[in-house]
Amino acid sequence: MNTFKSLLVGAATARVALGQYCEHQWEGKFANHDVDGVPYLQARQNVPPPPLEIQPLIVSGPTSNRVNFLFLGDGYTEDEKDKFFADALYLANNVTDGQTFVDVVPLMNFWAGFSPSAESGVGTYGTPRDTVYGLYRDGTELRGLYYDKPEVARAACQSTDTCDYPILLGNDPFYGGLGGTFTVTTASPNSGPAVLRHELGHSIIGVGEEYDGGEVYEGVNAARSPATAPWKQWYTDASAEPKVERSNMPIQAYPWTLLNVTSAWSQSFASAGTYATHLLQVSVSGMTATADLRVDIDGRDVGWRINPAVGVDRFIYNIKIDEPLAPGQHVITVTLLNEELEGTAQLCNLEVLEYGGEEEFNFDPTYHGLYPTFSSSNRTTYRPTNDLCLMRSTYTGNFCSACIEGLWLSLLGPLSFVDNVTQTTGPDGATNVTLELLPLAQFRQVPYPRAEGYEILWYGADDGVVLAEWTNSTSALIAAGTEEFGVEVRFWTEQVRVDEDGVLVQKARYTVV
Ligand SMILES: *[C@@H]1O[C@H](CO)[C@@H](O)[C@H](O)[C@H]1NC(C)=O
Ligand SMILES: *[C@@H]1O[C@H](CO)[C@@H](O)[C@H](O)[C@H]1NC(C)=O
Ligand SMILES: *[C@@H]1O[C@H](CO)[C@@H](O)[C@H](O)[C@H]1NC(C)=O
Ligand SMILES: *[C@@H]1O[C@H](CO)[C@@H](O)[C@H](O)[C@H]1NC(C)=O
Ligand SMILES: *[C@@H]1O[C@H](CO)[C@@H](O)[C@H](O)[C@H]1NC(C)=O
Ligand SMILES: *[C@@H]1O[C@H](CO)[C@@H](O)[C@H](O)[C@H]1NC(C)=O
């Protein structure tokens, strides 16, 4: 698949977004795979590709008619080759096994390309190590993971037909990532999959954020006003819309600060006092036990408890408090209690959300309506669901219906439903034409619970005439003397309700050979 055009959202500036989950290093409007049409990428530096040992991870069909994802390992030494392939397979499995891309995996191939790095791991304090692509963190904070050698990554990607989407995989056990031309993630067992699927959501579907505090809100899951929501076909209760679920964000902060036991971190904020409940979201790293940290609102412990599964990795905690905030000033205090953690324990970001009462805010996780999202400058846009989508909630593995629809349309756009056409001699001089279709509907390799199907129409020499006897058959007999025939393949799935560009209908004419 060479002419794939993935529209990336966001401005073409170096490093934007102080998003709480991901950083974006936009290099241009189009991703790497559109190499033919993007001058920026044509003007690539003249570097040779690194030696690449490519292994298949999950392969559903020929590279020419699938969307190919290639993990490129960084900071893996020759001795760590097996670890790289295992880390990449873990990630590929995680985003396809029962969640995230499970529905569309027949359209995807996952590959892993190993190149040995001289040094192991990723750099810190802005300094890369001696690795293939030069991944590094700014300080030690568990946030953006940047690349120093995009020209090498680009050369690697262009040296193979397995690379429509390059994914730089850093050999590091903690949170870190980046979206843009190159998706960057780490081998963190907890946050690696979360970062990967979120960043791929940006690059494949072309959507912006759904979490609060981002910069870019665009695509099929974002609306500037309730009237312009592009997911109206997914409203759970169309007769009730447009009804904005009532909520407010009275404080949002990105301290990214090391904590100490001498003085607590605190910040005050004001509430109108007109909401029913509230939620504190706080993300920290470097914690080892619940006794290490105390988080208070107005001197009252909100009940922060460590997630033991993440260890010292960064984690985003959501603490729902089923009480209103009183009108007036409030203060959030974050106190480090364990002195041994000074120098590592970090407060990353926090926000408070207030929610209207039962009639005003629908917490049903699958409810598709209009939920307000608040940007870094507190600009309001709208999203389809509360916390269902992984473009908002880091630890959920799934997209909302609007994003899944977008996913289908984006992935199918450059593909053909027909993997192969073979012509053999049939009875009475007829030509037996047999189609091999993308392994969807009745051709799926694993049982699939959702409704979907193909409709196949055959046309004779005259494109207007349907050869009805072969409708829905993957094979047809074309009468002797016919020089040309046509095939129309229509695919439908319950996950696509609106297909404005007609991506799900493809028609082609063939010559009898
Ligand atoms: C994916 O990874 C998460 C941790 O990020 C883990 O909790 C989950 O069980 C994994 N799921 C699969 C299907 O591998
Ligand atoms: C965002 O705007 C709303 C509405 O004006 C206001 O109530 C809220 O306090 C603001 N939040 C922040 C973090 O500025
Ligand atoms: C301790 O942390 C507080 C809150 O973040 C900060 O204001 C203060 O400068 C820190 N003190 C030291 C000695 O680092
Ligand atoms: C198409 O089918 C023919 C005959 O079965 C086979 O030889 C050829 O390799 C197939 N091509 C692809 C791209 O699968
Ligand atoms: C062909 O299949 C489609 C479903 O994919 C169905 O709606 C249609 O009725 C079928 N046509 C015939 C003639 O069986
Ligand atoms: C075409 O040939 C294939 C393979 O021999 C056979 O399975 C199929 O039934 C034939 N198609 C028709 C329409 O006769």
Side-chain angles (χ1 to χ4, degrees):
M1 206 211 66
N2 302 316
T3 54
F4 193 82
K5 208 166 64 172
S6 164
L7 186 63
L8 290 173
V9 289
T13 50
R15 253 183 226 172
V16 279
L18 301 171
Q20 62 206 108
Y21 308 145
C22 54
E23 292 270 315
H24 297 273
Q25 187 161 300
W26 305 112
E27 291 202 331
K29 204 165 166 55
F30 298 99
N32 188 58
H33 18 276
D34 198 22
V35 285
D36 304 328
V38 182
Y40 177 81
L41 291 169
Q42 283 170 344
R44 71 183 150 115
Q45 295 81 347
N46 196 16
V47 298
L52 266 190
E53 180 182 332
I54 296 178
Q55 285 193 8
L57 301 174
I58 298 171
V59 171
S60 67
T63 53
S64 56
N65 198 34
R66 292 295 179 281
V67 181
N68 296 282
F69 296 80
L70 176 65
F71 289 97
L72 295 165
D74 190 63
Y76 291 88
T77 62
E78 188 65 46
D79 286 349
E80 293 173 305
K81 191 201 284 193
D82 291 347
K83 179 177 188 295
F84 165 67
F85 286 119
D87 288 348
L89 183 61
Y90 171 82
L91 288 170
N93 278 337
N94 194 289
V95 299
T96 54
D97 184 1
Q99 60 179 16
T100 317
F101 300 115
V102 60
D103 298 297
V104 293
V105 74
L107 312 180
M108 306 169 119
N109 288 336
F110 288 86
W111 311 87
F114 177 76
S115 311
S117 287
E119 284 185 89
S120 178
V122 303
T124 49
Y125 296 106
T127 309
R129 297 183 185 176
D130 185 0
T131 63
V132 193
Y133 308 109
L135 292 183
Y136 65 95
R137 298 180 190 284
D138 257 350
T140 55
E141 62 188 38
L142 303 179
R143 191 185 188 188
L145 188 59
Y146 306 101
Y147 39 82
D148 189 45
K149 302 179 193 168
E151 69 284 359
V152 179
R154 199 169 292 121
C157 189
Q158 290 177 1
S159 72
T160 163
D161 63 357
T162 62
C163 185
D164 299 311
Y165 285 96
I167 301 161
L168 303 182
L169 169 54
N171 184 17
D172 183 85
F174 300 120
Y175 189 106
L178 195 72
T181 300
F182 302 101
T183 294
V184 184
T185 189
T186 65
S188 161
N190 292 300
S191 45
V195 169
L196 176 64
R197 63 199 175 209
H198 180 95
E199 299 301 349
L200 287 180
H202 286 308
S203 11
I204 303 172
I205 314 174
V207 291
E209 307 301 354
E210 278 195 27
Y211 57 69
D212 303 306
E215 310 269 329
V216 178
Y217 297 92
E218 277 180 23
V220 294
N221 64 349
R224 292 202 177 167
S225 75
T228 59
W231 61 88
K232 293 190 176 80
Q233 67 273 27
W234 295 107
Y235 282 153
T236 303
D237 179 5
S239 69
E241 308 299 343
K243 164 187 169 279
V244 173
E245 304 300 319
R246 184 168 175 257
S247 75
N248 186 43
M249 180 186 70
I251 177 174
Q252 173 180 79
Y254 290 92
W256 294 107
T257 184
L258 290 173
L259 293 165
N260 60 71
V261 297
T262 315
S263 44
W265 182 95
S266 74
Q267 194 170 311
S268 60
F269 65 97
S271 170
T274 60
Y275 291 81
T277 61
H278 61 290
L279 175 137
L280 171 65
Q281 180 179 89
V282 58
S283 98
V284 291
S285 62
M287 301 302 158
T288 61
T290 297
D292 291 342
L293 187 77
R294 190 183 144 112
V295 183
D296 297 333
I297 295 183
D298 302 332
R300 214 170 112 189
D301 190 338
V302 298
W304 177 84
R305 300 274 172 279
I306 196 166
N307 174 349
V310 299
V312 295
D313 202 351
R314 179 174 168 213
F315 193 73
I316 298 161
Y317 294 86
N318 284 302
I319 302 165
K320 178 87 196 300
I321 300 156
D322 286 326
E323 283 172 26
L325 283 167
Q329 287 295 309
H330 299 271
V331 60
I332 293 187
T333 311
V334 179
T335 311
L336 183 68
L337 302 170
N338 181 350
E339 195 172 352
E340 285 171 19
L341 300 185
E342 282 190 358
T344 54
Q346 185 166 117
L347 171 60
C348 307
N349 76 291
L350 63 81
E351 72 175 14
V352 170
L353 291 173
E354 297 177 282
Y355 303 103
E358 246 172 65
E359 302 293 302
E360 295 173 321
F361 194 94
N362 195 328
F363 282 99
D364 176 348
T366 62
Y367 189 82
H368 285 64
L370 288 157
Y371 290 82
T373 308
F374 310 104
S375 77
S376 61
S377 58
N378 203 16
R379 183 172 68 102
T380 303
T381 54
Y382 303 89
R383 64 180 189 278
T385 63
N386 183 19
D387 282 335
L388 183 67
C389 186
L390 65 87
M391 298 313 293
R392 177 170 178 85
S393 300
T394 319
Y395 305 110
T396 156
N398 293 299
F399 292 108
C400 74
S401 300
C403 286
I404 293 178
E405 181 176 70
L407 183 64
W408 273 110
L409 298 175
S410 296
L411 288 173
L412 279 172
L415 302 184
S416 167
F417 286 122
V418 180
D419 260 344
N420 203 352
V421 183
T422 44
Q423 298 187 24
T424 54
T425 306
D428 303 328
T431 302
N432 172 325
V433 182
T434 302
L435 306 176
E436 216 175 293
L437 298 186
L438 284 178
L440 300 169
Q442 66 267 42
F443 308 111
R444 282 199 183 249
Q445 318 263 304
V446 290
Y448 185 66
R450 295 182 190 284
E452 63 180 17
Y454 277 119
E455 183 173 6
I456 305 164
L457 298 173
W458 295 84
Y459 297 87
D462 177 351
D463 207 22
V465 178
V466 174
L467 307 178
E469 121 186 57
W470 308 117
T471 291
N472 287 352
S473 165
T474 51
S475 139
L477 292 178
I478 304 298
T482 312
E483 282 173 7
E484 227 187 67
F485 62 95
V487 183
E488 182 174 324
V489 181
R490 298 167 168 263
F491 173 71
W492 58 271
T493 156
E494 62 181 17
Q495 293 184 317
V496 177
R497 291 186 180 170
V498 172
D499 173 22
E500 264 170 16
D501 298 329
V503 169
L504 302 193
V505 180
Q506 296 178 3
K507 192 168 176 183
R509 289 198 62 79
Y510 299 88
T511 306
V512 172
V513 292

